Amino acid sequence: MSVRDLRFDVDAVVLDIEGTTSATGFVVDVLYPYSRSRFGALLAERGDDPEVARALAQVRELTGDPQADATAVEKSLNAWLDEDRKATPLKTLQGIIWAEGFARGDLVSHFYDDVVPRLRAWHAAGVRLYVYSSGSVAAQRAWFTNSPEGDLTSLVSGLYDTENAGPKQEPQSYRRIAGSTGIAPDRLLFLSDRPGELDAARAAGWHAVGIRRPGEPYYEQGVGDHAQAGTFDEITITTSGSST
Ligand SMILES: [Mg+2]
């Protein structure tokens, strides 16, 4: 059998989204243009909302221009979008826009075919599931609420992003998540397509598996010396004596 069989005895699996549970292309081809088309209206009409106002202030700080008006801020956001820069205020504002787009039914998220059945099986076996993505918590919630297979949020015990956990390539972020979940580092398994994230998780004492899906941006680069899987079906999780 060519399919790999990776076995882990852990209490929880922490999931990256882009390139791991879901196609990066969907985010870039569908969600980025959708947010780009709505930044202007959001800033113009809702600049006083606390979350929007805070993101506006963060953009002005990051660009070093405290006087930047809505047009200048929109320009910065679009430039970061073009560079695929994971700036926190960009992620915050996208999260708001996408949540509203999903709620309206304009958007439905994407999951690879192997992912949802595995998540359901792991959850049923008592494995806790968490998300750690550079997309904001609001965007993650919308993503799991509006999947092609319906609302998946009941499967997930917690959501982490660069704001509540920190940058994805720093071990300290993974220590923070472990502390927040109350799960020992060596009882946590991180799944991601990016070697730098896998390195950081491992440095924090976690298990880590690189997910390699053909066509994803990091596929050719590989995942260094980490264990790797082409799909979630190649990963067997055991917890508290149960196995699935
Ligand atoms: Mg990824």
Side-chain angles (χ1 to χ4, degrees), residues 202-222:
R202 182 166 61 189
W206 295 27
H207 299 278
V209 172
I211 303 298
R212 297 194 64 203
R213 299 185 183 276
E216 287 292 336
Y218 289 90
Y219 177 70
E220 297 298 339
Q221 180 182 341

Side-chain angles (χ1 to χ4, degrees), residues 59-76:
V59 173
R60 290 179 179 128
E61 197 182 317
L62 284 170
T63 55
D65 181 5
Q67 309 300 328
D69 62 10
T71 306
V73 168
E74 184 184 359
K75 204 174 265 181
S76 298

Side-chain angles (χ1 to χ4, degrees), residues 94-112:
Q94 285 179 315
I96 294 168
I97 289 167
W98 293 337
E100 292 175 357
F102 280 116
R104 265 200 302 273
D106 287 355
L107 299 169
V108 177
S109 66
H110 171 270
F111 287 84
Y112 283 109

Side-chain angles (χ1 to χ4, degrees), residues 172-219:
Q172 183 58 32
S173 304
Y174 297 82
R175 294 189 192 104
R176 206 170 280 130
I177 292 170
S180 165
T181 62
I183 298 172
D186 67 350
R187 302 291 300 168
L188 288 161
L189 170 64
F190 182 54
L191 305 182
S192 173
D193 61 324
R194 294 188 66 167
E197 299 176 4
L198 298 163
D199 290 346
R202 182 166 61 189
W206 295 27
H207 299 278
V209 172
I211 303 298
R212 297 194 64 203
R213 299 185 183 276
E216 287 292 336
Y218 289 90
Y219 177 70

Side-chain angles (χ1 to χ4, degrees), residues 29-172:
D29 298 339
V30 177
L31 295 190
Y32 281 16
Y34 188 82
S35 58
R36 190 188 301 270
S37 70
R38 281 164 178 78
F39 284 139
L42 180 67
L43 295 173
E45 295 161 15
R46 309 250 305 273
D48 294 334
D49 284 12
E51 215 183 351
V52 177
R54 191 161 55 100
L56 269 165
Q58 288 170 337
V59 173
R60 290 179 179 128
E61 197 182 317
L62 284 170
T63 55
D65 181 5
Q67 309 300 328
D69 62 10
T71 306
V73 168
E74 184 184 359
K75 204 174 265 181
S76 298
L77 293 168
N78 286 333
W80 292 341
L81 210 50
D82 291 335
E83 299 163 14
D84 198 20
R85 179 166 160 190
K86 312 284 187 190
T88 294
L90 172 66
K91 295 292 165 184
T92 302
L93 296 172
Q94 285 179 315
I96 294 168
I97 289 167
W98 293 337
E100 292 175 357
F102 280 116
R104 265 200 302 273
D106 287 355
L107 299 169
V108 177
S109 66
H110 171 270
F111 287 84
Y112 283 109
D113 288 345
D114 53 291
V115 172
V116 176
R118 282 286 92 197
L119 297 186
R120 289 194 198 284
W122 291 341
H123 180 262
V127 180
R128 281 199 263 166
L129 303 173
Y130 296 91
V131 177
Y132 181 27
S133 164
S134 55
S136 69
V137 163
Q140 296 171 24
R141 189 170 292 115
W143 191 263
F144 276 78
T145 302
N146 302 280
S147 92
E149 302 189 43
D151 187 350
L152 304 176
T153 50
S154 65
L155 301 177
V156 178
S157 296
L159 306 170
Y160 297 96
D161 63 11
T162 56
E163 197 154 6
N164 66 8
K168 292 189 77 183
Q169 309 212 10
E170 290 182 8
Q172 183 58 32

